[in-house]
């Protein structure tokens, strides 16, 4: 799994950071999302997909090695 974030779409809600602080971070400068890691372990996959569906702006996408990009905007 590879995570991508679109910082232009991010509203700085902190939701992703609250759910997965080992994966997501928030910039001290503009409050928008930062990635701690773009390729979390397989054990985090389900939690990451949950965050993708909860992000209020659809700023987070994930791509599995053998699947299409998933976005829930
Ligand atoms: S949940 Fe979405 S809008 Fe909120 S900080 Fe994370 S990427 Fe940005």
């Amino acid at each position: 799994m590879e995570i991508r974030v679109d910082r232009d779409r991010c509203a700085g809600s902190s939701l992703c950071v609250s759910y997965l602080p080992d994966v997501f971070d928030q910039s001290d400068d503009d409050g928008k999302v930062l990635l701690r890691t773009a390729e979390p372990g397989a054990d985090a996959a389900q939690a990451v997909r949950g965050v993708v569906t909860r992000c209020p702006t659809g700023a987070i996408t994930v791509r599995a090695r053998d699947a299409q990009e998933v976005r829930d905007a």
Side-chain angles (χ1 to χ4, degrees), residues 4-32:
R4 295 182 183 177
V5 292
D6 183 343
R7 299 189 79 247
D8 290 334
R9 293 181 67 134
C10 176
S13 71
S14 306
L15 184 145
C16 57
V17 183
S18 297
Y19 275 91
L20 288 172
D22 292 339
V23 177
F24 299 98
D25 197 0
Q26 197 164 10
S27 168
D28 290 334
D29 294 329
D30 62 10
K32 294 188 177 188

